[in-house]
Amino acid sequence: MNVPLPVPVADALRDSLAGLLDGLPPRQAGQAVERLIASYRGRTPTDAPILRDRADVVAYAAYRMPATFAAVRSALAEFAAAVPEWAPGRQVDVGGGTGAAVWAAGAVWPGARPVTVLDWAEPALALGREIAAAQPDLRDVQWQRSRIGAALTIESTDLITVSYVLNELTAPDRTAVVDAAARAAQAVVIVEPGTPDGYTRVIEARDRLLAAGFHIAAPCPHGAACPIVPGTDWCHFAARVSRSSLHRQVKGGSLAYEDEKFSYVAATRFPPVPAASRVVRKPQIRKGQVLLDLCEHEPALGRTTVTKRHGPLYKAARDADWGDAWPPA
C-alpha cells in the first residue's frame, strides 16, 4: 500500500514534529517512549489516560504519530478509491489524541472542513492544537476533551475515524464506541494494530457496522463473513514510515524506515464500489510470473498467477503491492 504521500501535508507534519523534542534530552525521550509502549501493551482503563503530561505527549507523538498517520492515510486512500465521487464535508476523530487521523484525512481529501477531535487526554489535545497550527487547513479544528467509552455521544457527521483506540478500551466500551459511530456517521473508518488481537477487534467492529446497515468499502471486496479461519491467520497490511533518530534510538535499529502493520475496516451508509479483489500478502515475483494472494468477491481466499502471456496485466502485477485492489482500475 505504498501510495505516494501528498508532499505538502507529509512535510508539514514532519516539520511540526521535528521541533517537538527540542529541550527534551534524548535519553529522557527514549525512556518516556519505552514506558509508554509498555503501558499501551497492558490493560488500560478508560478513566486513566496514559498520556499524562506534555513530556509524555511530546515523546509519544514524535515516536508514534508518523506511523499512525501513514497507516490511517493508507486506509483512507483505499476507502476513497471505493467512493470516488464522495468526500467528507465534516469529520469527527474519536480518541484522536494529537490528531494523526485528521492530518491523514487532509492528505486524502485536501481542503479545510469542520473537524472535531475527541480525546480524554488534555495534554494530547493541547499538543495536537499546537502542531496543527503549521497546516492552514487544520487551524480551525476543534479539540474537545471527552470520555471515550459507554457515555460517548457524537454529533452527526460525514466521516468518523477511530484509529488505535479500541485496543485501549474494555469490551463493553468498544461496543459502545462503534455503535455511537454507526449512529452518527455516513462513513466510519477504524484502524487497529496489525496483530491477531487488532484484527479480531476490527472484525468485531465490522460485524457491528454491517448489523447497523453499513456497506463495507475496504479492504474487503464483499460484505460477507471474513473467509479467514479464526486462529489460523489474520488480515493486516503495511505502510512504510521513515524512521527518526528517536525511532532508531528506541528500537536500536539502523534502517532509515520501518513498516507499520495495521488492520482496518471502512464502511459507509451509501453503496460503495469495493475492489474486485484485494492483495492480502506481499506479491511473490518469480521469473516470468507473479503470484498474488487475494481476498476475492465470492468471498474466498485464493492465489492467482500472472505471467508474461497476460501482457499489460503482467506489468501491473509486478507493480502491485500488498493491500492494493486487484485488478488495478
Side-chain angles (χ1 to χ4, degrees):
M1 301 181 73
N2 294 331
V3 184
L5 291 176
V7 174
V9 175
D11 283 353
L13 178 59
R14 184 179 63 247
D15 292 346
S16 295
L17 292 173
L20 287 178
L21 296 174
D22 289 347
L24 189 63
R27 181 179 177 84
Q28 180 182 350
Q31 290 174 340
V33 169
E34 289 173 343
R35 176 177 58 78
L36 291 165
I37 289 173
S39 296
Y40 271 115
R41 288 173 178 162
R43 296 180 62 86
T44 306
T46 59
D47 59 351
I50 294 172
L51 302 177
R52 301 170 303 190
D53 54 32
R54 181 178 172 83
D56 276 0
V57 177
V58 164
Y60 206 73
Y63 182 78
R64 278 296 306 166
M65 198 171 172
T68 302
F69 168 84
V72 177
R73 193 266 172 184
S74 293
L76 291 178
E78 295 300 330
F79 169 54
V83 290
E85 304 301 321
W86 182 86
R90 181 182 297 271
Q91 178 187 5
V92 174
D93 189 21
V94 175
T98 54
V102 175
W103 286 80
V108 175
W109 297 285
R113 64 180 57 85
V115 177
T116 301
V117 178
L118 306 176
D119 200 273
W120 47 51
E122 182 60 39
L125 294 169
L127 190 69
R129 183 184 301 109
E130 179 182 328
I131 61 177
Q135 185 71 355
D137 289 346
L138 303 182
R139 289 174 182 168
D140 294 328
V141 173
Q142 300 298 308
W143 304 83
Q144 181 178 323
R145 190 173 188 184
S146 179
R147 179 74 60 84
I148 309 301
L152 179 68
T153 58
I154 308 173
E155 62 184 9
S156 179
T157 189
D158 296 306
L159 172 66
I160 288 179
T161 47
V162 188
S163 54
Y164 295 85
V165 174
L166 300 184
N167 60 310
E168 299 179 31
L169 305 178
T170 63
D173 281 343
R174 287 198 299 270
T175 296
V177 167
V178 173
D179 289 351
R183 288 192 297 270
Q186 292 297 305
V188 177
V189 177
I190 295 173
V191 181
E192 282 287 293
T195 63
D197 286 345
Y199 161 73
T200 297
R201 289 188 292 269
V202 166
I203 288 298
E204 290 172 352
R206 180 183 184 273
D207 289 345
R208 296 200 72 82
L209 292 170
L210 284 168
F214 278 70
H215 306 275
I216 303 302
C220 320
H222 57 80
C226 178
I228 294 175
V229 177
T232 65
D233 204 351
W234 68 99
C235 182
H236 65 293
F237 305 96
R240 183 144 293 183
V241 186
S242 296
R243 274 181 168 174
S244 66
S245 59
L246 179 59
H247 282 81
R248 292 191 289 270
Q249 173 191 334
V250 171
K251 290 199 170 181
S254 58
L255 290 177
Y257 64 86
E258 64 182 0
D259 289 327
E260 172 70 8
K261 307 291 177 60
F262 65 97
S263 295
Y264 78 100
V265 63
T268 69
R269 283 283 180 193
F270 49 90
V273 184
S277 61
R278 178 82 57 188
V279 180
V280 292
R281 290 288 181 273
K282 185 175 181 179
Q284 299 180 43
I285 300 177
R286 300 178 179 175
K287 186 176 180 179
Q289 61 181 13
V290 181
L291 277 59
L292 299 177
D293 290 303
L294 303 173
C295 181
E296 300 171 328
H297 181 74
E298 279 68 14
L301 297 174
R303 172 173 288 183
T304 188
T305 301
V306 185
T307 69
K308 289 183 177 180
R309 291 177 301 190
H310 290 94
L313 202 60
Y314 173 67
K315 182 181 185 303
R318 289 183 62 86
D319 293 338
D321 198 13
W322 180 15
D324 286 350
W326 183 262

